Amino acid sequence: MLSIKDLCVSIGEKEILRGINLEIKPGETHAIMGPNGSGKSTLASVLAGRETFTVTGGSATFMGKELFSLTPEERARMGFFLGFQYPVEIPGLTIVNFMKAAINEQRKYKNLPALTSGEFLKMMREKMAFVEMDPSFVGRGVNVGFSGGEKKRNEIFQMAMLEPTLAILDETDSGLDVDALRVVAQGVNKLKTKENAFVVITHYQRLLDYIVPDIVHVLYKGQIIKTAGKDLAVEVETKGYDHLINEQ
Amino acid sequence: MKEYTYMPEVRRVFRCTVPDENIRQVFLVDGILQEEENEKNGITLKRGPEEKGLYMRVQGDHFAETIQIISVRSEDLPRPLEFTNEWELDPGAGIQIIVCDHTLNEHLYRTSRFSKISLGENARLDILFMQNEHIRSRYWLDLIANLGQGAQLDCHVLSLYGGIINNKLRAVMNHPGAVCRMDGLYLADGEQHIQYDIAVDHNAPDCYSRQLFKGILDNHSRGSFNGAIKVAQGAQKTEAYQANHNLLLNNEAKVTTKPQLEIYADDVKCSHGASIGRLDEMGLFYLRSRGISLDQAKMLQQLAFVEDVLAGIRTQAIRERLEKMVESRLRGEFKKCSNCTMHCC
């Protein structure tokens, strides 16, 4: 589904990712862990198409296409989803208008007719209930005045609406209380199928108690220094990153 | 759709689709009122000075009613035209007015529209100016409003299209308890120039005023905003707020903004602010990451930017209609049918 080979990424003169190799197959859940500044968010952003980063080497294919030749919107329509670490506030744009535009673009790409207002609102209601989001949020500005937890819940809501093939959740757990964490995790677990894949970027093992990964990667200074099963997350939690870094 | 056939000289371009069927329409063609002096349910309508423009007097509360004044220029050999429209509301009277200014062809029209508003005690007027002419037109609006005690004025100005648009708006509050809200939206591209000069005079205590003006400028267009609030000595407990925000879509468009506040009283709440900015890159990326194209993302951001100005328009049906018009204007579709606002989309 997603295959990354020797990916090198810079911002300005600064090299952030230095040869990433990653293979994600349908049905898998990956966790990417690592200390601050290791390049986790950069990896997520560059895969989603953020233009502030420059790909200086390597390649990535997504659903058989060269990922870096696609615009962010093309990637999204093909089923790529990024759950933002810091969801953006857009005053004046309601969630309903935002999602209507997104869903209709996606349907157009799939050669499906646009949803009627009734169909769309029904879908909105179902998905909002799914992430336990207050229906009054529909008419509010995107992320405007939302608490940290509400913003992350909104990301999961959007994910539920768009039903992506590959979702990367960038520190969706940071700043969440236990209840919000449970909702986020439940959202992911319920959306998980044999056909899609999830990548969870996190600092802590806590989220991984709820979303059990098949494969855990530890990223350090722009390289994946260790890949193993779910026990690696426990190892990180108990022993810290230093011990893995010293193993190098 | 309702058609107006009683005006053969007004071309069929006015198949106006303002959604409310009950809106009374009044035509001004080249500054001449197209109906005889009349009085209906306390609303008196007649020609203004020198047989040009209009004079409207409102008695009684008609605030649930809307009168649409469609003011067009259509002469083939245009000369500069100047006329005055006057609205006089008796104490306690109320009405909503929409003034739509159009040109029916692409001649070089210069039109100066003086507007006088006088509101009696506790009178309420909601007036909306829709300015939609064409790239060679020269549009002047010079409005002065006097507010009586406890009177309430809502004034919205939407500058959609015109070569040079110059709006001079002045509200004078000489009596306590008056409320004045002025909103404006200007959308400019190509070589358009749009200028706003706003003055709000607080000469009496306990009055409230609020201004919100927003502009989006593209290509080589120019915008200018001068807004002055003056709070006289003795105008205590005044609340006066002013905001002007501008969005520049490229590096060539230019806007100057000059918010001014002069306060001679010592117990007031006042603020003013202005900003000039660009579309938010992070916001665009966020929208695109959900599958929305770059063009559509830019459009959504622009519509989001003007949302609070349009939200001030009271009647839902008219507000929705104007939202669509602003959207089609932002999409650049107005150049194709620049003669008429009401017949597009």
Side-chain angles (χ1 to χ4, degrees), chain B residues 50-112:
Chain B
E50 296 171 32
E51 295 294 299
K52 288 191 290 186
L54 63 79
Y55 167 87
M56 186 183 287
R57 181 177 173 194
V58 181
Q59 292 162 297
D61 187 6
H62 301 271
F63 200 68
E65 295 166 33
T66 301
I67 296 180
Q68 183 187 19
I69 293 153
I70 297 176
S71 176
V72 296
R73 290 216 53 191
S74 67
E75 330 86 294
D76 284 328
L77 293 167
R79 285 179 303 169
L81 176 67
E82 206 179 282
F83 60 91
T84 303
N85 292 335
E86 191 171 349
W87 288 272
E88 195 178 327
L89 272 68
D90 281 15
I95 191 87
Q96 296 189 54
I97 303 284
I98 305 175
V99 183
C100 301
D101 288 310
H102 309 279
T103 45
L104 286 192
N105 54 53
E106 307 241 331
H107 294 317
L108 201 161
Y109 290 116
R110 296 167 192 272
T111 321
S112 303

Side-chain angles (χ1 to χ4, degrees), chain A residues 183-220:
Chain A
V183 169
V184 165
Q186 271 178 6
V188 172
N189 290 331
K190 280 193 231 165
L191 290 171
K192 205 177 151 180
T193 65
K194 286 199 178 74
E195 279 77 45
N196 61 20
F198 290 88
V199 178
V200 179
I201 293 175
T202 183
H203 270 296
Y204 309 105
Q205 199 232 328
R206 199 176 55 157
L207 179 68
L208 303 179
D209 289 341
Y210 297 96
I211 304 171
V212 182
D214 303 303
I215 300 161
V216 178
H217 311 271
V218 173
L219 193 63
Y220 178 67

Side-chain angles (χ1 to χ4, degrees), chain A residues 73 76-77 82 105 155 158, chain B residues 285-286 288-291 294:
Chain A
E73 55 269 34
R77 291 170 199 162
L82 172 65
E105 293 256 16
E155 294 293 290
Q158 293 170 36
Chain B
F285 176 62
Y286 189 62
R288 294 175 78 190
S289 79
R290 301 302 184 241
L294 179 60

Side-chain angles (χ1 to χ4, degrees), chain A residues 20-60:
Chain A
I20 300 278
N21 288 290
L22 193 62
E23 191 72 37
I24 295 164
K25 296 193 180 73
E28 290 179 346
T29 301
H30 290 240
I32 297 177
M33 305 182 76
N36 289 324
S38 57
K40 303 187 297 293
S41 289
T42 300
L43 177 62
S45 298
V46 83
L47 292 177
R50 186 92 211 274
E51 279 152 356
T52 42
F53 301 99
T54 323
V55 176
T56 52
S59 65

Side-chain angles (χ1 to χ4, degrees), chain B residues 16-53:
Chain B
C16 178
T17 56
V18 170
D20 190 347
E21 292 273 311
N22 298 319
I23 290 180
R24 173 176 171 194
Q25 291 189 318
V26 172
F27 285 88
L28 272 175
V29 178
D30 301 318
I32 308 295
L33 181 66
Q34 303 294 307
E35 54 190 90
E36 297 300 315
E37 178 173 347
N38 60 69
E39 198 265 314
K40 286 174 198 158
N41 307 325
I43 299 169
T44 309
L45 185 62
K46 63 179 184 185
R47 287 183 183 172
E50 296 171 32
E51 295 294 299
K52 288 191 290 186

